[in-house]
Short mmCIF file of all heavy atoms in Angstrom, two decimals:
data_model
loop_
_atom_site.label_atom_id
_atom_site.label_comp_id
_atom_site.label_asym_id
_atom_site.label_seq_id
_atom_site.Cartn_x
_atom_site.Cartn_y
_atom_site.Cartn_z
N LEU A 121 5.96 -21.53 9.79
CA LEU A 121 5.29 -22.06 10.97
C LEU A 121 4.09 -21.24 11.41
O LEU A 121 3.36 -21.64 12.31
CB LEU A 121 6.29 -22.15 12.13
CG LEU A 121 7.44 -23.15 11.96
CD1 LEU A 121 8.42 -23.05 13.12
CD2 LEU A 121 6.91 -24.56 11.82
N THR A 122 3.87 -20.10 10.77
CA THR A 122 2.73 -19.25 11.12
C THR A 122 1.84 -18.99 9.91
O THR A 122 0.79 -19.61 9.74
CB THR A 122 3.22 -17.92 11.72
OG1 THR A 122 4.18 -17.32 10.83
CG2 THR A 122 3.88 -18.14 13.07
N VAL A 123 2.29 -18.12 9.04
CA VAL A 123 1.46 -17.67 7.92
C VAL A 123 1.15 -18.80 6.95
O VAL A 123 0.02 -18.92 6.46
CB VAL A 123 2.16 -16.50 7.20
CG1 VAL A 123 1.41 -16.14 5.92
CG2 VAL A 123 2.27 -15.30 8.11
N SER A 124 2.13 -19.64 6.63
CA SER A 124 1.94 -20.67 5.60
C SER A 124 1.57 -22.04 6.16
O SER A 124 1.46 -23.00 5.39
CB SER A 124 3.22 -20.81 4.76
OG SER A 124 3.53 -19.60 4.11
N TRP A 125 1.41 -22.14 7.47
CA TRP A 125 1.16 -23.46 8.05
C TRP A 125 -0.17 -24.06 7.59
O TRP A 125 -0.32 -25.27 7.51
CB TRP A 125 1.17 -23.36 9.58
CG TRP A 125 1.12 -24.69 10.27
CD1 TRP A 125 0.05 -25.27 10.88
CD2 TRP A 125 2.20 -25.63 10.39
NE1 TRP A 125 0.39 -26.49 11.39
CE2 TRP A 125 1.71 -26.73 11.11
CE3 TRP A 125 3.53 -25.62 9.97
CZ2 TRP A 125 2.51 -27.84 11.41
CZ3 TRP A 125 4.32 -26.72 10.27
CH2 TRP A 125 3.82 -27.80 10.98
N GLY A 126 -1.14 -23.21 7.28
CA GLY A 126 -2.44 -23.72 6.86
C GLY A 126 -2.52 -24.11 5.40
O GLY A 126 -3.58 -24.55 4.94
N ALA A 127 -1.43 -23.97 4.64
CA ALA A 127 -1.45 -24.34 3.23
C ALA A 127 -1.75 -25.83 3.08
O ALA A 127 -1.20 -26.66 3.81
CB ALA A 127 -0.12 -24.00 2.57
N ASP A 128 -2.60 -26.17 2.16
CA ASP A 128 -3.01 -27.56 1.95
C ASP A 128 -3.02 -27.88 0.45
O ASP A 128 -3.77 -27.25 -0.30
CB ASP A 128 -4.41 -27.79 2.54
CG ASP A 128 -4.83 -29.25 2.49
OD1 ASP A 128 -3.95 -30.13 2.41
OD2 ASP A 128 -6.05 -29.51 2.54
N PRO A 129 -2.13 -28.79 0.01
CA PRO A 129 -1.13 -29.52 0.79
C PRO A 129 0.02 -28.63 1.23
O PRO A 129 0.22 -27.55 0.67
CB PRO A 129 -0.66 -30.61 -0.18
CG PRO A 129 -0.96 -30.07 -1.53
CD PRO A 129 -2.17 -29.23 -1.40
N TRP A 130 0.77 -29.10 2.21
CA TRP A 130 1.76 -28.26 2.88
C TRP A 130 2.83 -27.75 1.93
O TRP A 130 3.35 -26.64 2.10
CB TRP A 130 2.42 -29.04 4.02
CG TRP A 130 3.19 -30.26 3.54
CD1 TRP A 130 2.71 -31.52 3.38
CD2 TRP A 130 4.57 -30.28 3.13
NE1 TRP A 130 3.70 -32.35 2.91
CE2 TRP A 130 4.85 -31.63 2.75
CE3 TRP A 130 5.58 -29.34 3.06
CZ2 TRP A 130 6.10 -32.01 2.29
CZ3 TRP A 130 6.83 -29.73 2.60
CH2 TRP A 130 7.09 -31.05 2.24
N TYR A 131 3.18 -28.51 0.90
CA TYR A 131 4.29 -28.11 0.03
C TYR A 131 3.91 -26.98 -0.93
O TYR A 131 4.75 -26.48 -1.66
CB TYR A 131 4.81 -29.31 -0.76
CG TYR A 131 3.77 -30.08 -1.53
CD1 TYR A 131 3.28 -29.62 -2.75
CD2 TYR A 131 3.27 -31.28 -1.03
CE1 TYR A 131 2.30 -30.32 -3.44
CE2 TYR A 131 2.29 -31.98 -1.72
CZ TYR A 131 1.83 -31.52 -2.92
OH TYR A 131 0.86 -32.21 -3.59
N THR A 132 2.64 -26.55 -0.90
CA THR A 132 2.26 -25.40 -1.72
C THR A 132 2.58 -24.07 -1.02
O THR A 132 2.47 -23.01 -1.64
CB THR A 132 0.77 -25.45 -2.05
OG1 THR A 132 0.01 -25.46 -0.83
CG2 THR A 132 0.44 -26.70 -2.86
N GLY A 133 2.97 -24.12 0.25
CA GLY A 133 3.37 -22.91 0.95
C GLY A 133 4.73 -22.44 0.45
O GLY A 133 5.69 -23.21 0.40
N ALA A 134 4.83 -21.16 0.11
CA ALA A 134 6.06 -20.66 -0.50
C ALA A 134 7.22 -20.57 0.49
O ALA A 134 8.38 -20.71 0.10
CB ALA A 134 5.80 -19.28 -1.11
N ASP A 135 6.93 -20.33 1.77
CA ASP A 135 8.00 -20.03 2.72
C ASP A 135 8.94 -21.21 2.95
O ASP A 135 10.14 -21.02 3.14
CB ASP A 135 7.40 -19.57 4.04
CG ASP A 135 6.61 -18.27 3.88
OD1 ASP A 135 7.20 -17.30 3.39
OD2 ASP A 135 5.42 -18.25 4.20
N ILE A 136 8.41 -22.44 2.92
CA ILE A 136 9.29 -23.59 3.13
C ILE A 136 10.28 -23.73 1.98
O ILE A 136 11.40 -24.21 2.16
CB ILE A 136 8.44 -24.89 3.29
CG1 ILE A 136 9.33 -26.05 3.73
CG2 ILE A 136 7.72 -25.24 2.00
CD1 ILE A 136 9.97 -25.85 5.08
N VAL A 137 9.90 -23.27 0.80
CA VAL A 137 10.82 -23.31 -0.35
C VAL A 137 12.00 -22.39 -0.11
O VAL A 137 13.15 -22.73 -0.42
CB VAL A 137 10.07 -22.92 -1.64
CG1 VAL A 137 11.03 -22.91 -2.83
CG2 VAL A 137 8.91 -23.88 -1.90
N TYR A 138 11.76 -21.21 0.47
CA TYR A 138 12.85 -20.27 0.73
C TYR A 138 13.82 -20.83 1.78
O TYR A 138 15.02 -20.54 1.73
CB TYR A 138 12.28 -18.93 1.20
CG TYR A 138 11.74 -18.09 0.07
CD1 TYR A 138 10.39 -18.11 -0.25
CD2 TYR A 138 12.58 -17.30 -0.69
CE1 TYR A 138 9.89 -17.34 -1.29
CE2 TYR A 138 12.10 -16.53 -1.74
CZ TYR A 138 10.75 -16.56 -2.03
OH TYR A 138 10.27 -15.81 -3.07
N VAL A 139 13.30 -21.60 2.73
CA VAL A 139 14.18 -22.19 3.73
C VAL A 139 15.26 -23.03 3.05
O VAL A 139 16.46 -22.91 3.35
CB VAL A 139 13.38 -23.05 4.72
CG1 VAL A 139 14.32 -23.84 5.64
CG2 VAL A 139 12.45 -22.18 5.56
N PHE A 140 14.85 -23.87 2.10
CA PHE A 140 15.82 -24.77 1.45
C PHE A 140 16.58 -24.06 0.34
O PHE A 140 17.71 -24.42 0.04
CB PHE A 140 15.09 -26.00 0.92
CG PHE A 140 14.63 -26.92 2.01
CD1 PHE A 140 13.32 -26.88 2.46
CD2 PHE A 140 15.51 -27.81 2.60
CE1 PHE A 140 12.90 -27.71 3.49
CE2 PHE A 140 15.10 -28.65 3.62
CZ PHE A 140 13.80 -28.60 4.07
N ALA A 141 15.99 -23.04 -0.27
CA ALA A 141 16.70 -22.29 -1.32
C ALA A 141 17.90 -21.55 -0.76
O ALA A 141 18.88 -21.31 -1.47
CB ALA A 141 15.74 -21.32 -2.01
N LEU A 142 17.84 -21.19 0.51
CA LEU A 142 18.94 -20.46 1.13
C LEU A 142 20.06 -21.36 1.62
O LEU A 142 21.16 -20.86 1.93
CB LEU A 142 18.41 -19.62 2.30
CG LEU A 142 17.62 -18.36 1.93
CD1 LEU A 142 16.79 -17.89 3.11
CD2 LEU A 142 18.56 -17.26 1.47
N THR A 143 19.81 -22.66 1.74
CA THR A 143 20.83 -23.55 2.31
C THR A 143 22.12 -23.61 1.49
O THR A 143 23.21 -23.70 2.09
CB THR A 143 20.26 -24.96 2.51
OG1 THR A 143 19.70 -25.44 1.28
CG2 THR A 143 19.18 -24.97 3.57
N PRO A 144 22.12 -23.57 0.14
CA PRO A 144 23.41 -23.57 -0.58
C PRO A 144 24.27 -22.36 -0.22
O PRO A 144 25.49 -22.49 -0.11
CB PRO A 144 22.99 -23.54 -2.05
CG PRO A 144 21.62 -24.12 -2.08
CD PRO A 144 20.98 -23.67 -0.81
N LEU A 145 23.64 -21.19 -0.02
CA LEU A 145 24.39 -20.00 0.35
C LEU A 145 24.84 -20.07 1.81
O LEU A 145 25.91 -19.57 2.17
CB LEU A 145 23.54 -18.75 0.13
CG LEU A 145 23.09 -18.52 -1.31
CD1 LEU A 145 22.13 -17.34 -1.39
CD2 LEU A 145 24.28 -18.27 -2.21
N LEU A 146 24.03 -20.69 2.64
CA LEU A 146 24.40 -20.86 4.05
C LEU A 146 25.60 -21.79 4.20
O LEU A 146 26.50 -21.54 5.02
CB LEU A 146 23.20 -21.41 4.83
CG LEU A 146 23.41 -21.69 6.32
CD1 LEU A 146 23.74 -20.41 7.07
CD2 LEU A 146 22.16 -22.34 6.91
N LEU A 147 25.64 -22.83 3.39
CA LEU A 147 26.72 -23.82 3.49
C LEU A 147 27.96 -23.42 2.69
O LEU A 147 29.09 -23.65 3.13
CB LEU A 147 26.22 -25.19 3.02
CG LEU A 147 25.06 -25.80 3.82
CD1 LEU A 147 24.60 -27.09 3.17
CD2 LEU A 147 25.47 -26.04 5.26
#
Side-chain angles (χ1 to χ4, degrees):
L121 294 175
T122 52
V123 173
S124 299
W125 188 256
D128 186 22
W130 63 270
Y131 52 79
T132 59
D135 298 304
I136 190 62
V137 178
Y138 282 96
V139 172
F140 289 98
L142 286 162
T143 54
L145 299 174
L146 178 63
L147 298 175

